Amino acid sequence: MSDALDPELIPANEACALLGISAATLYAYVSRGQLSSRPGPSARSRVYLRAEVERLAQRKRAGRGAERGAAQSLDRGLPVLETRISLIRPDAPYYRGRSAVAAAQAGATLEDIARLLWEC
């Protein structure tokens, strides 16, 4: 089966449409290693792996943000750093085991929190 007929490969215009980007941005993604391409059916055309394009489109739709980054790290099995300095929980961040919200409500200053973090 030739690449031109392979359903796993898509032309540049279809990749751009799936990603919602211009051809120049598509080429930038290839140059940065975010997508790979192969020669297409004509001398100047390129085709792209459908699975890679769809995966990138899904990441773009999901957005960035801290919560998304943490979830992605957990999904991919990347290490999550444990620390005594801070802990992020749904109710509040904690610094050295103390609630930052409770500290703020009690009138803690920036300097107070710095001393807590620096253990002095």
Side-chain angles (χ1 to χ4, degrees), residues 81-100:
L81 183 65
E82 291 186 22
T83 174
R84 289 184 11 229
I85 297 172
S86 66
L87 171 66
I88 306 300
R89 298 192 46 163
D91 60 320
Y94 288 77
Y95 302 133
R96 301 246 182 236
R98 298 181 185 165
S99 167

Side-chain angles (χ1 to χ4, degrees), residues 1-118:
M1 181 179 278
S2 74
D3 284 351
L5 301 175
D6 188 340
E8 298 303 312
L9 299 172
I10 58 175
N13 64 339
E14 189 174 336
C16 288
L18 283 170
L19 292 166
I21 59 172
S22 68
T25 301
L26 180 67
Y27 304 143
Y29 284 168
V30 172
S31 72
R32 288 184 291 211
Q34 292 178 288
L35 291 174
S36 55
S37 70
R38 299 179 184 177
S42 67
R44 296 186 62 201
S45 68
R46 304 293 293 175
V47 292
Y48 303 84
L49 292 171
R50 179 182 298 279
E52 282 185 1
V53 172
E54 289 174 350
R55 201 169 20 256
L56 183 58
Q58 183 178 13
R59 282 198 319 256
K60 283 183 62 172
R61 282 191 301 272
R64 296 186 182 190
E67 186 175 310
R68 172 70 182 142
Q72 242 177 359
S73 293
L74 293 172
D75 288 345
R76 294 189 182 143
L78 298 174
V80 176
L81 183 65
E82 291 186 22
T83 174
R84 289 184 11 229
I85 297 172
S86 66
L87 171 66
I88 306 300
R89 298 192 46 163
D91 60 320
Y94 288 77
Y95 302 133
R96 301 246 182 236
R98 298 181 185 165
S99 167
V101 172
Q105 289 171 339
T109 65
L110 176 64
E111 292 80 9
D112 294 331
I113 299 301
R115 280 190 289 276
L116 175 65
L117 290 171
W118 296 330

